[in-house]
Structures are given as C-alpha cells and as structure tokens.
Amino acid sequence: MAQQAAIPAIATVAPARPRPRWVRLVVYATLTLFALFYLLPVYVLMINGLKSFQEVSLSRMWVLPSSFSLDSFAKAYGKLAPNFANSVRLVIPATLVTALLGSVNGYILAKWKFRGADLLFPLLLFGMFIPYQSVLIPLVQFLQRAGDALGLSLYGTIPGLALVHIVYGIPITTLIFRNYYASVPTELIEAGRIDGAGLAGIYRHVVLPLSLPAFVVVLIWQFTAVWNEFLFAVVITNNPAQQPITVALQNLAGSQIVEWNVQMAGALLAALPTLLVYVFLGRYFLRGLLAGALKG
Amino acid sequence: MPRLNRDRILAVAVLTPSVAAVGIFVYGFIGWTVYVSLSQWNSFVPDLSFAGLQNYGTLFATVRFQADLRNTLIFTVTFLAACLLIGFLLAVLLDQRVRGESLFRNIFLFPMAISFIVTGTAWQWLLNPSTGVNLLFESLGLGALRSPWYTEPRTAIFSVVLAATWQLSGFTMAMYLAGLRGIPEELMEAARMDGASEWQLYRHVIVPLLHPVTLSAVIVLGHISLKIFDLVFAMTGSGPAFSTDVPGVFMFETTFRGNRFAEGAGIAVIMLALVAVLIVPYLWYGTRTAAEA
Amino acid sequence: MSWKARLSLLLSLALLATPVITGVQAGAANQLEIFSWWTAGGEADGLNAMFQIFKQRYPGTEIINATVAGGAGTNAKAVLKTRMQGGKPPDSFQVHGGEELTSTWVKTGFMEPITSLARSEGWLSVLPKDLVDIVSYQGEMYSVPVNVHRGNVLWYNKKIFDDNKLAAPTTWQEFFKVADALKAKGITPLALGDKNKWEAAHLFEDILAATLGPEGYRGLWSGKTSWAGAGVKQALENYAKILGYVNTDHAAGTWDSAAQMLIDGKAAMNIMGDWAAGYFTSKGWKPNVNYGFAPAPGTGGTFVVVTDTFGLPKKAPHRDQALNWLRVAGSKAGQEAFNPLKGSICARTDCDLSKFDAYLRSSAADFAKNKLIPSEVHGSAAPEDFATQFNDIVNLFVTRRNVANAQKALQAACVSAKMCRK
C-alpha cells in the first residue's frame, strides 16, 4: 500500500453510474476527435516519410502513399546515424550514474535525517526547476577550463555533456527515490539495525532489493529527459560529429538542401527510442511523471 | 566510535559529492551569471569590469525584450488554461467507464515522450499556411478554417500554444484522472443521495477536491512555459516582429550568436527570477508540510 | 581548496562510465589543417580541387580537412572560437572578409599579417583594391580572398516575364511598375522567405545600397553617413512600399523556399545573393533560359561583395605549410579550380572565364569594373553584435513598417556597437 502511494498509479476501477445512450455517444465522439488531433502529426510524418522521392510534393501532403518506400528513412538514417549513436553514448552513462546517485541520496535523506536536511532538500530541489539559461555561460567556461586543467576534452564532447546531465539530473532522481524510500517502513530499517547492519549494510541488504520499481521509473525518466534535451546539447556540442540527435535533427530541418520528406523521416527516427520506451513501459513512464509532480 | 555516529558521518560523506556538485553547478553558476550580467562583457573578448545595472536598462528598453515578456505572459496563461481545460475534460470523459480507456489514455499521453524539437519540426509543417492543415481543411470542404497561423504577427503565438498543448495536455489529463480515481466512491454516493445533480457534484465536490492536483499542474506546466525554448526555436524562431519570441530564444541568440554575454546573462537572470516567483513558495510550503506530516 | 578535491572526485566518478574523446591533435611536422564549413556539394568538391593542387605543388604533406557542418557556418564559427580561445588554432581557416575577420580576429590579436606574402605573390595587382581593403586593417593585409559571391542580384522567372512582355527593372520606380503589372495578373511580384530573419535584412541591405549609392552606403560603416539621416529614412520608406509586393506567408519561408517560388511559377522575382543561382542549377534551371538575372534595382554599377578568405592565425602549428596553403588559395590555378565548382567567381580578376556559366561570366565582368561594397548581413561591413541587432530591427520593421522607430533603433545599435559616437 505504502509503496503504491510513493509511486502513484492510476487506479483502474471506474466509478460511475450507467448513462443514457446519447451521453455515451457524445463521450466516445469527443474522445475520438481528440485522439485524431493527437495522432495528426504522427500521421503526417509517417505517410510522408514512407513516400518515394517521386511521389513527394507539398500539395499532396495529406494523400496516402501509393506504394511504400523506405528511401526517406534510409536517407535520414544515413545522415543521422552518427548522432543517433552519440545520443546512445550520452544517455547510458547519464541515466545510470544519475540513478545510482539519486538512490543513495534519496536513501540518506529519507532514512538518515540529520540536522539541516530539511533545509538542504528544498535547496537541492530548486536545481530541477531553474531555467538552464541561468547557468549556461559559466557552464561553458567551466567545461573549457576544467577540461584543460584535467587534460580532458569536456567542452564540445559527449562525455562533457553526459557530466552536465548527471549533475543536473541529481535533484529529480533524488526526489523520486527519497519519496519512494520514505514509504519503506522504518521498522524494516530498525530490524536491520538490530541485526547489526550499518548504513551501508541496510542499503545493500534491505533497501536496494526493494528499489526496483523506483529504479525503473527513474531510468525511464532520465532516459527520456536526456534523449530529448536540446539546450545543453546545442550550446555544449558545436561540432556535428559530437552532437546528439536532437541537435542534428534541428540542423537537418534548417538545412536548405535536404528534402522535407527526409526531414520528416528524421523527426520520426529521433522520436523512435523514447516512443518505444513509452509503448512498452508506458505505465512506469506515467508513474515517473506523476511522481515528479505529486511529491509523494 | 559508536556505530550510529560513524553512520552519521558516512551519511554526510555520501551526500557530499552531490551536494557539492549542485552547489557549484546551480548556486555557484547562478552567482557567476549574475556577476556577468553586471559587467561590460558584450563582445567576443571577456571584459568583466563593473557596469552596474546598465545591461538590464538596455534590455527593458529593447522592443524585442518587451515583446518577449508580453509573449511569455500570453503564452503561459493560454497554454495553462488550455492544458487544464482539455486535461480535465478528457479525464472526466475517460472516467465514465469507457471501453478502450487505456488506448485513449495512451494516445493522449504519448506526445509527452517526444522531444520538443520533433514537435516543433512537425508543427512547423502542419501550420505552414501554404501547405499543412490548411490544405486538409480545403480538401474536407472546410476552407473557412484556413488561417495564416504563425505568419500573422498578432496571433502567431497561439500556433506555438497549440503545439505545446498538443504535447503536454495529456499530462494534465493523467494527473486529473489519477485525482478523480483517488476520490472515495462513498463521498460521491453520499452527494448523490443528498440529491445533488451531476453538475452540482462536479462543481461543488469534485473540482474542489482536485484543487491540489490543479496547483501541481500549474506549477509544473507554469515553470515549463516560463522557460520554454526548444519548441519555439525549432518551430517558428522569433517569428514576424518577434511575435513568437521568448526570453529563452533571445538569450541564446544574444549570447551565442551575437557575443553579447552580459546582456544574455541579464536575460537569464530575469528568467530565473520569473521561475523563482512561481517555484520558491511552492518548494517552501511543500517541503514544510512534508516535514510536518 | 577542498572543493577541488571533491570536484575531481565527482569528475572521475562521472567519467568512469564514459570513454574520453580527444579533439584533433596537432601531430607530425608535415601536416596542414584547414578549417572550413564546406562540407557538402560543390563547396566540398571545390575545396578538394584546391587540395589536389596543393598536393602537386607541395608533396609529402598530409592535409587534415577539418570541416564543421550545419547552420550555414554558425556551428563552425562556434567551434573555431573555442579552439582559438583555447590556444589551439588550425593552420588556416575560412573566414568572411571584413569585420568578421578584423573585429573578431585581427583587433583581438589572433592573426598574423600576410602583406609581405601578398606582395611577393603579386596578389595586389590582380585583386581589386576595394577587395584588398576589405581584408586589411591599419595598412596590413590579413587574409587572402579565394572567391566572391554577389549579394545584390534580382532573379526572375523568365517565362512569366516573357509572357507578360516585361523587362527586368533597373530602378525601384521601374520595379513598382513591373510589380503592379504582375499584381494585376494575380502573380506575386516578389518572393521573400524571412523565417531566419537575415533574408529580410539582406533585401534591406540592397535597398540601402540603391538609395544611398556606394559611397553613402560605405559611410554607414565608417560613421560618415548617419543612420538618423534622410538617406536611411528614404530607404526605409522605400522598403515599406516594396513589402507591399511580397508573398503574405513570407514569415514561414527561407531563402531557398523563396527561390523555389520562382521555379514553381508562384512568384516572378526574388532578390538574393548569387548562391540562389546554385540552387537553381541544382533544380535543373538554367540561366537566360529558365531564369533571368540583373543587378538589384538601383544597384547597377555596384557590387555587394561576400567573400570567403583564408588567413594565418598566430601560433599556427605548421606555419610554413600554412603559408604554402595561402599561396595556393591566392593563385590563379587554385581559384580557377575552386570557383566553378563552388558556383562563385574568382577574387582575382585574371581567371579564365570559359570555365564558368553565363551567370558567373556576367558577374565576373561586373566585378572587374563595378564599385565594390561590403555586405553587412554576411559579416563583412559590421561586427557580429551589430549584425544580430540589425537583423532584429529589420525583422520588426517588416511587420510594423514604422520608419521613425526603426531609424532610432538603427542609430542606437550603431552607437552600442561603437561604430558611431552619437
């Protein structure tokens, strides 16, 4: 029970009394109309991405393709593949490291309260709401200087960008884990303590085994956020060879020589990984959203 | 040393890297940005000599920045209103024991998984006045619905609101639906027993009960809309006569295209102040009640 | 200093999971690293053709072709700034002549003068003096121009003009007559796509040149012509009138979609730099057959120059090779190899014109005898911080058409960019 409160889900029991037929009709009609609205952009991207180059014309934007052709996707993939790979290289460390940090932080903030923790927590949380414009200029300077001082390339590279996502991902992941661990019964912790386990032991043997649902939520959240992010990426990676897919797509869409159906195919390609995550793990995705908003 | 004390120290030690990182990357960097915004660094070569509030004075006197503030206000209000209304409507409809509920829910929510850049690219095509939905309207015999969309300066910002609402109204739907499902059945039955009509039930029982949900949605969507950047950048840019320009886009162009770092920092500080006005009371109140609970 | 220790702990933690990539490293002695944003199409072919000539003349040198794509050079310029500030310059890099060279790199002390090289190679006698001035600062030359694009060209759909028995307008008065005739037939007279803002500024730049004349236009950048004066006022009024003849959906388009409107027969005229000719060629459109061209109205005898140049950064890792590269870039053979592929004309006036198409031949003829003036929109006439403000002011003007406000803003921008005093 307690854990469901921490990672909220939409209950499936629907309370309502039977309604007249015409009411149901209006309900379904309205829902269907809205569904069409939400599907509209995907429909356009899809049908035009699937048209052959001969068939592409702006005036026939809404017409179904007469035959399916993957030419546009192949061409878009040819242009975007290196950046797709960059995004993968970015997302893996940025997701895993932040999740680990968030789990440890959340555990301590929830179960090892110390003086000042109640002040520290909102200060930490503020970091997830700030407009990142307010840190960009020093961030660029820092990455350049720190990179030089340490003999690493941080500015302009995927590792540097991953570092940025890790740091700015700490507040949200800490929040989700803290709220989740807050609902782990204190008796479990006490029991561990009586068994002679310390902070680290209780984490390893008691808390971590219970953490899978929270990890799934956090990993999906971070994956989606980092994959889709644009501002840090466009400022920190100038060199196209190092740019993640969002920036490459923006360059492709702004380019004068690339056919617009290739741009549409590219947009779908960039959206594909997060869409797949959504389709297969949508329940957890939703819980992450609600956890971020409903604070416990 | 007793175990508990050792663990206390360990707890602080484990937290330290994260706290230090956030301390530097958030608070240290904000401090530096404020410092830059008070300097003369408005060319390629850094010049950090003190300029007082001169950059802020320049900004507020700039037509583009005035347009940005106006656009941010209009965008935030209409976007929030649209998301709350549509989200609530869809949640109520889905709460009517609808067949295929999860399918509808997924369709309403999937845009949230997509990058603003993809959304912007797609809606830029859809709302291009000479192609896009205008063509669709014509072929459906609905030519009257044709619109100049984002090329008409007076209404261009609403094209961006449309795209943003497409992406994020599913979020309010999900929050309201979770809220509706959390209302005890007995409460509603009791109201019905008292002879309340469905309208009165929603008006006097359900909506007030959902106030916390509304507040959360306003905070989350409000702070997103105050700092919106990617969507506008990918979809319309600053638009005709800055009709779709927002501080995020202006900051990016001023700083990283125009090399006017001090002015860019000034825009960033103002953005931060806007978000802080919304967020700080919420954080303060939210964490205090959490601590009391 | 304990935060440093904590920080490095954090850094090492973060980097544990990520492989470290290092940038281009200066390696062996016989290398030459050339930095540009010529990544695709004719531009890349042209650059390679110059590389071939370099390899024949100076064998045994490995050429590192450091190109950065995207955003019409904005990505590349950002990468370059990082490298220069970090003390890791390439051996030579592509830069637009004028302020983009001088105010960004020369005044800030990043460049070495190449005047003596220019003398010994005899460039001063084959490059127009106006062009040499554009790449010079305080009497020293800082880069060698390899090509020239023209900014002030009127393009028109030949079929529409022939069908309606119209001739290319040479003045704005004639333009309005032609435009009225087209409008009466239901044809959009002038195509514009200004989503990226610079396109509208480009059009205004040509109107400024027409209204002020070449000397008055030059004075805008030296402080001799006032932005608050009658000339600029007239240019703005002129612009407001011209805007009555452009497509209503211009805010949704870009320069190439405007060019496409000519091809699709949706508009009759377009004013754009001669990269538009490259776009027409790529769509199978031929000069004097499908499209016609003329100087933008009122700018006959004037040539708005957009020039790509190469310079010599201080601390170039392979300075001798870099000098050899500049020799190739400034040579007749190098420019004749590069320009027909790039779709531009030689910066030198002695190139063999038989290698160029009809449009480029006519452009080269004008270049040799016209007055040359620098383009503001393309980085030559004013520093970058003025250019971004200029774009903003014109963008606002296109909608509001408020002459007084625009003029006031232009004057203020001129002062804040330290181009004029007050």
Side-chain angles (χ1 to χ4, degrees):
Chain A
M1 268 313 282
Q3 288 173 27
Q4 267 159 8
I7 304 290
I10 292 176
T12 41
V13 200
R17 60 167 66 153
R19 306 219 181 275
R21 200 187 177 88
W22 68 269
V23 174
R24 304 204 63 77
L25 212 67
V26 171
V27 167
Y28 281 105
T30 316
L31 286 173
T32 308
L33 218 63
F34 270 99
L36 289 179
F37 166 68
Y38 287 101
L39 290 172
L40 193 73
V42 181
Y43 170 79
V44 169
L45 292 184
M46 195 90 88
I47 61 161
N48 287 297
L50 286 172
K51 281 177 192 170
S52 65
F53 284 97
Q54 292 78 25
E55 215 186 323
V56 168
S57 133
L58 276 174
S59 55
R60 291 173 56 81
M61 187 168 168
W62 298 94
V63 184
L64 281 170
S66 60
S67 65
F68 288 105
S69 151
L70 289 171
D71 292 355
S72 307
F73 279 97
K75 200 165 172 192
Y77 185 75
K79 286 181 185 297
L80 293 176
N83 307 97
F84 196 95
N86 284 343
S87 280
V88 172
R89 284 201 303 133
L90 169 69
V91 134
I92 291 172
T95 306
L96 291 179
V97 177
T98 328
L100 279 175
L101 286 173
S103 165
V104 174
N105 293 343
Y107 163 61
I108 287 169
L109 285 173
K111 293 297 171 202
W112 295 82
K113 291 223 171 116
F114 51 89
R115 217 183 317 155
D118 286 337
L119 185 68
L120 189 69
F121 189 55
L123 285 174
L124 205 62
L125 281 196
F126 185 63
M128 74 188 228
F129 291 108
I130 59 164
Y132 292 131
Q133 279 86 355
S134 64
V135 296
L136 275 184
I137 295 169
L139 183 65
V140 168
Q141 290 181 294
F142 172 85
L143 290 176
Q144 287 172 339
R145 305 269 160 80
D148 282 353
L150 299 168
L152 303 167
S153 294
L154 290 180
Y155 178 74
T157 65
I158 290 293
L161 188 56
L163 171 70
V164 171
H165 280 299
I166 288 168
V167 174
Y168 292 105
I170 288 173
I172 177 88
T173 57
T174 302
L175 166 73
I176 296 177
F177 275 109
R178 176 188 175 270
N179 287 351
Y180 179 76
Y181 291 143
S183 63
V184 172
T186 311
E187 299 83 62
L188 279 180
I189 310 287
E190 288 303 325
R193 213 175 265 161
I194 289 161
D195 289 347
L199 178 134
I202 295 173
Y203 179 70
R204 271 244 314 274
H205 300 295
V206 180
V207 173
L208 200 55
L210 292 173
S211 302
L212 188 66
F215 265 102
V216 174
V217 168
V218 164
L219 289 175
I220 291 174
W221 173 273
Q222 263 305 92
F223 174 80
T224 316
V226 175
W227 186 275
N228 289 341
E229 203 277 338
F230 179 71
L231 179 62
F232 281 141
V234 74
V235 170
I236 291 169
T237 57
N238 289 308
N239 187 341
Q242 291 286 322
Q243 282 170 343
I245 191 145
T246 45
V247 185
L249 175 67
Q250 169 63 20
N251 282 341
L252 190 74
S255 137
Q256 275 90 26
I257 16 175
V258 181
E259 299 84 351
W260 59 277
N261 56 318
V262 176
Q263 298 177 13
M264 289 190 169
L268 269 186
L269 213 57
L272 197 62
T274 48
L275 274 182
L276 285 179
V277 166
Y278 175 76
V279 168
F280 289 109
L281 300 164
R283 277 183 309 139
Y284 299 97
F285 176 76
L286 184 55
R287 288 181 192 192
L289 291 180
L290 297 175
L294 291 176
K295 321 230 347 221
Chain B
M1 203 180 340
R3 158 135 261 166
L4 206 58
N5 275 347
R6 217 182 61 197
D7 280 344
R8 283 258 153 77
I9 293 166
L10 186 60
V12 172
V14 169
L15 268 186
T16 299
S18 294
V19 172
V22 172
I24 295 167
F25 278 68
V26 175
Y27 295 96
F29 284 4
I30 287 174
W32 185 253
T33 303
V34 172
Y35 182 66
V36 170
S37 77
L38 300 173
S39 78
Q40 314 225 9
W41 186 10
N42 277 322
S43 73
F44 176 51
V45 184
D47 173 6
L48 289 170
S49 44
F50 189 67
L53 294 173
Q54 185 192 315
N55 293 306
Y56 292 94
T58 313
L59 282 175
F60 283 110
T62 308
V63 178
R64 180 169 179 181
F65 193 63
Q66 294 163 357
D68 288 356
L69 294 177
R70 203 166 46 238
N71 291 341
T72 304
L73 182 72
I74 298 172
F75 180 86
T76 303
V77 170
T78 48
F79 163 71
L80 274 177
C83 280
L84 292 177
L85 285 175
I86 294 175
F88 183 71
L89 173 72
L90 293 178
V92 168
L93 292 179
L94 282 182
D95 202 31
Q96 309 299 316
R97 235 177 258 196
V98 170
R99 225 172 283 162
E101 180 198 317
S102 73
L103 177 69
F104 279 121
R105 217 169 56 192
N106 285 332
I107 291 175
F108 299 155
L109 253 180
F110 86 91
M112 283 224 58
I114 291 177
S115 165
F116 268 132
I117 297 295
V118 174
T119 306
T121 311
W123 282 95
Q124 171 203 326
W125 288 110
L126 284 170
L127 300 185
N128 185 315
S130 38
T131 59
V133 289
N134 280 353
L135 272 182
L136 181 69
F137 289 154
E138 266 173 31
S139 64
L140 294 177
L142 298 167
L145 290 175
R146 285 182 58 108
S147 159
W149 300 114
Y150 57 80
T151 62
E152 166 54 50
R154 272 165 301 178
T155 54
I157 190 75
F158 299 114
S159 295
V160 186
V161 171
L162 179 63
T165 306
W166 175 81
Q167 177 140 24
L168 290 169
S169 49
F171 174 64
T172 40
M173 179 279 296
M175 287 185 67
Y176 277 126
L177 193 56
L180 284 171
R181 299 279 157 86
I183 296 173
E185 181 73 356
E186 304 85 59
L187 207 65
M188 312 235 263
E189 279 313 314
R192 287 188 183 117
M193 299 282 256
D194 290 347
S197 69
E198 285 299 286
W199 168 255
Q200 286 171 323
L201 180 69
Y202 275 97
R203 176 73 186 74
H204 296 294
V205 179
I206 295 182
V207 170
L209 281 173
L210 290 177
H211 273 337
V213 177
T214 308
L215 180 68
S216 288
V218 167
I219 298 291
V220 171
L221 296 180
H223 98 280
I224 290 175
S225 81
L226 286 177
K227 60 191 194 188
I228 189 111
F229 166 71
D230 332 20
L231 178 66
V232 177
F233 193 74
M235 185 174 161
T236 56
S238 49
F242 312 122
S243 50
T244 62
D245 202 49
V246 289
V249 173
F250 190 28
M251 188 274 168
F252 179 79
E253 286 187 2
T254 303
T255 313
F256 299 105
R257 296 289 178 259
N259 296 330
R260 302 177 74 82
F261 287 86
E263 281 178 25
I267 303 168
V269 171
I270 294 165
M271 289 176 73
L272 180 69
L274 288 176
V275 170
V277 166
L278 182 73
I279 292 299
V280 169
Y282 178 72
L283 279 183
W284 180 251
Y285 177 78
T287 48
R288 292 202 74 187
T289 47
E292 283 158 16
Chain C
M1 284 297 112
S2 69
W3 69 270
K4 263 194 175 166
R6 289 170 196 167
L7 196 65
S8 60
L9 179 75
L10 178 79
L11 285 176
S12 46
L13 189 68
L15 291 166
L16 263 180
T18 55
V20 176
I21 282 60
T22 45
V24 181
Q25 298 284 324
N30 275 340
Q31 280 186 338
L32 171 71
E33 190 196 357
I34 300 299
F35 184 95
S36 76
W37 58 87
W38 290 330
T39 51
E43 309 182 330
D45 296 343
L47 184 62
N48 268 320
M50 274 203 290
F51 286 159
Q52 290 310 316
I53 294 174
F54 183 92
K55 280 176 190 157
Q56 284 161 20
R57 290 196 188 169
Y58 310 102
T61 300
E62 182 199 350
I63 298 177
I64 300 167
N65 184 12
T67 54
V68 173
T74 49
N75 282 334
K77 287 174 199 169
V79 174
L80 184 65
K81 279 176 192 166
T82 317
R83 290 189 56 176
M84 298 286 273
Q85 281 181 327
K88 292 166 198 144
D91 291 311
S92 183
F93 59 86
Q94 174 192 3
V95 58
H96 285 142
E99 289 290 323
E100 191 181 310
L101 168 74
T102 50
S103 82
T104 311
W105 302 121
V106 176
K107 290 181 195 170
T108 47
F110 285 100
M111 304 299 284
E112 219 181 291
I114 57 163
T115 320
S116 59
L117 181 73
R119 276 205 200 96
S120 64
E121 292 291 309
W123 291 338
L124 297 175
S125 59
V126 291
L127 295 174
K129 185 181 171 301
D130 287 349
L131 191 61
V132 172
D133 285 347
I134 287 175
V135 294
S136 298
Y137 180 68
Q138 295 185 338
E140 296 277 5
M141 192 169 158
Y142 280 91
S143 72
V144 55
V146 293
N147 76 342
V148 169
H149 279 292
R150 185 174 197 174
N152 56 324
V153 188
L154 172 83
W155 312 94
Y156 56 94
N157 179 314
K158 210 150 181 316
K159 186 168 179 305
I160 294 178
F161 267 58
D162 290 349
D163 288 353
N164 295 287
K165 301 192 177 57
L166 295 168
T170 59
T171 65
W172 285 106
Q173 278 71 30
E174 286 180 30
F175 171 88
F176 293 127
K177 269 185 211 147
V178 169
D180 283 331
L182 288 162
K183 219 174 177 179
K185 299 257 177 178
I187 302 165
T188 302
L190 188 65
L192 176 67
D194 64 345
K195 183 174 182 230
N196 298 325
K197 290 193 279 195
W198 67 264
E199 299 94 335
H202 183 111
L203 176 55
F204 182 53
E205 170 176 294
D206 287 348
I207 297 167
L208 276 175
T211 317
L212 299 168
E215 284 315 312
Y217 176 91
R218 272 196 203 124
L220 288 173
W221 321 112
S222 63
K224 277 183 197 150
T225 307
S226 168
W227 286 98
V232 173
K233 182 164 184 268
Q234 202 196 328
L236 284 165
E237 284 164 358
N238 212 356
Y239 195 14
K241 194 171 170 198
I242 292 158
L243 286 166
Y245 295 94
V246 305
N247 45 305
T248 51
D249 64 349
H250 58 87
T254 50
W255 74 266
D256 56 308
S257 71
Q260 185 66 38
M261 286 180 74
L262 263 61
I263 297 178
D264 295 341
K266 284 184 185 157
M269 295 180 278
N270 178 221
I271 289 174
M272 185 38 65
D274 60 13
W275 41 93
Y279 183 82
F280 291 140
T281 307
S282 77
K283 299 282 164 174
W285 249 33
K286 293 194 172 55
N288 292 332
V289 179
N290 307 97
Y291 69 90
F293 51 87
T299 65
T302 304
F303 193 110
V304 178
V305 173
V306 182
T307 177
D308 290 300
T309 73
F310 282 91
L312 181 64
K314 283 177 185 166
K315 291 188 267 177
H318 314 96
R319 190 173 176 279
D320 292 344
Q321 300 296 345
L323 287 169
N324 286 340
W325 165 253
L326 297 181
R327 286 188 179 98
V328 170
S331 71
K332 187 165 180 283
Q335 300 203 357
E336 282 177 353
F338 175 74
N339 285 298
L341 295 168
K342 159 86 170 134
S344 49
I345 60 170
C346 297
R348 297 171 66 110
T349 48
D350 61 348
C351 277
D352 175 7
L353 290 183
S354 66
K355 292 174 178 164
F356 295 85
D357 73 11
Y359 165 72
L360 290 173
R361 281 201 300 276
S362 122
S363 172
D366 285 353
F367 179 67
K369 56 178 198 266
N370 281 1
K371 286 220 156 67
L372 309 184
I373 55 176
S375 161
E376 189 280 332
V377 177
H378 303 284
S380 295
E384 273 172 320
D385 58 338
F386 180 81
T388 49
Q389 296 187 62
F390 184 82
N391 284 354
D392 278 358
I393 294 163
V394 175
N395 174 269
L396 192 65
F397 180 77
V398 167
T399 307
R400 301 271 174 83
R401 308 197 189 163
N402 185 323
V403 173
N405 282 357
Q407 210 168 2
K408 222 187 308 168
L410 285 166
Q411 174 66 18
C414 182
V415 172
S416 94
K418 299 184 179 78
M419 281 161 36
C420 22
R421 249 176 250 119
K422 238 205 124 173

